[in-house]
Amino acid sequence: MPPAHLIGRAALVLRALSAAGEPGASTSDVSRLTGLARPTVHRLLAALADEGFVDRDQRNGRWYLGPELYLLGESAAARYDVTQHARASVHRLAAATGESAFFSARRGDETVCLLREDGDFPIRSFVLYEGARFPLGVVSAGLVVLSLLSDREIDDYLARVDLTERWGEAHAPGPLRERIAETRERGYAVNPGLVVEGSWGMAAAVFGSSGELAWALTLTGVESRFREPRRAQLGALLLKEAHALTTTLRADRQRGGL
């Protein structure tokens, strides 16, 4: 259900435009993506345009993120942009495995993909891409984040979020709790083709300077590349890179870089 408050609705609209990317989105597109009524969306877009947060192509009527967001992002980057460090980890994972490697951030009840780099294996999975958002517990990044929350936080999340309507019965609380237990035991998450058949994913968590569960590193590829014993090797590599990145981010924070 869309949020009732104005700021929440504006955030929904901006995220919808972010997901639309370069093609932009019509007012009807944004309405469909957000679940908000078209007149409401139009009013929000017009108000955001007045402040420079969105822009409209007068030739085709499509909306885009505006220049003011770029300026705000530049100001925030010095404090929050961890991708400069994560890029090296993503590169090493892709180069060492030949698979597609990713870096995702937790944003509330979702994970958002920030970085992607493809390895040299010619068959790729395109479930994840930069800017893609998934609820916690769906893709492997969201599964590892959910699994490492407290039992109380997990119970609260599963009580208020229904993943089965879009993602199927494999994401009902029972099966999901089984994968949570397996993830906690291994230390990394495995998604055995539950989003797209034959497309597997694995992820390890990355922690912030104060121990907060903030990010994840992921590898994805075709099922034949994720069988044992290679899966255990990939998991160990993910854990190694996740630990190294966590250490780097904490050290940088202590120096005042983040």
Side-chain angles (χ1 to χ4, degrees):
M1 180 180 295
H5 54 86
L6 181 60
I7 293 176
R9 292 184 173 196
L12 269 183
V13 168
L14 292 173
R15 288 171 181 152
L17 290 180
S18 176
E22 181 57 33
S26 66
T27 305
S28 296
D29 291 337
V30 178
S31 175
R32 174 177 52 80
L33 290 168
T34 60
L36 297 171
R38 191 179 186 282
T40 300
V41 168
H42 182 76
R43 289 195 297 271
L44 287 168
L45 286 168
L48 289 167
D50 287 343
E51 300 298 328
F53 294 128
V54 303
D55 200 6
R56 194 176 197 185
D57 189 326
Q58 297 301 322
R59 296 169 299 176
N60 57 27
R62 299 182 74 80
W63 298 90
Y64 303 83
L65 295 179
E68 189 64 27
L69 287 178
Y70 174 80
L71 297 174
L72 292 174
E74 286 285 293
S75 297
R79 180 172 178 82
Y80 294 107
D81 185 15
V82 300
T83 59
Q84 57 180 322
H85 298 295
R87 199 175 301 277
S89 292
V90 170
H91 174 73
R92 284 193 295 268
L93 285 169
T97 66
E99 313 302 340
S100 297
F102 306 84
F103 179 67
S104 299
R106 181 189 178 188
R107 291 292 183 267
D109 287 345
E110 297 179 314
T111 53
V112 184
C113 180
L114 302 180
L115 293 174
R116 171 179 180 142
E117 183 171 334
D118 293 322
D120 58 9
F121 188 70
I123 303 176
R124 313 196 191 288
S125 168
F126 292 97
V127 174
L128 279 182
Y129 53 89
E130 291 182 3
R133 292 174 175 267
F134 289 91
L136 297 182
V138 178
V139 294
S140 55
L143 176 58
V144 77
V145 168
L146 181 62
S147 299
L148 297 181
L149 297 179
S150 69
D151 290 342
R152 182 176 180 177
E153 289 173 301
I154 293 172
D155 291 342
D156 174 69
Y157 177 73
L158 294 181
R160 59 187 168 80
V161 175
D162 180 10
L163 299 175
T164 61
E165 182 176 353
R166 180 171 181 184
W167 306 105
E169 288 302 317
H171 294 87
L176 186 52
R177 286 185 185 276
E178 291 179 6
R179 292 195 294 279
I180 288 171
E182 293 168 355
T183 299
R184 286 176 165 181
E185 183 177 351
R186 285 188 303 254
Y188 57 85
V190 176
N191 185 320
L194 298 178
V195 177
V196 174
E197 186 176 358
S199 177
W200 281 50
M202 299 175 61
V206 177
F207 296 85
S209 59
S210 57
E212 72 275 18
L213 182 53
W215 304 282
L217 288 168
T218 301
L219 288 168
T220 70
V222 295
E223 180 179 1
S224 62
R225 301 271 291 176
F226 282 73
R227 294 174 180 155
E228 292 291 8
R230 188 172 190 253
R231 192 160 67 241
Q233 297 169 355
L234 295 176
L237 184 58
L238 276 167
L239 289 173
K240 177 182 177 181
E241 283 294 344
H243 175 73
L245 181 54
T246 294
T247 302
T248 298
L249 294 176
R250 287 177 177 173
D252 198 69
R253 178 75 174 192
Q254 291 171 357
R255 292 192 299 267
L258 283 174

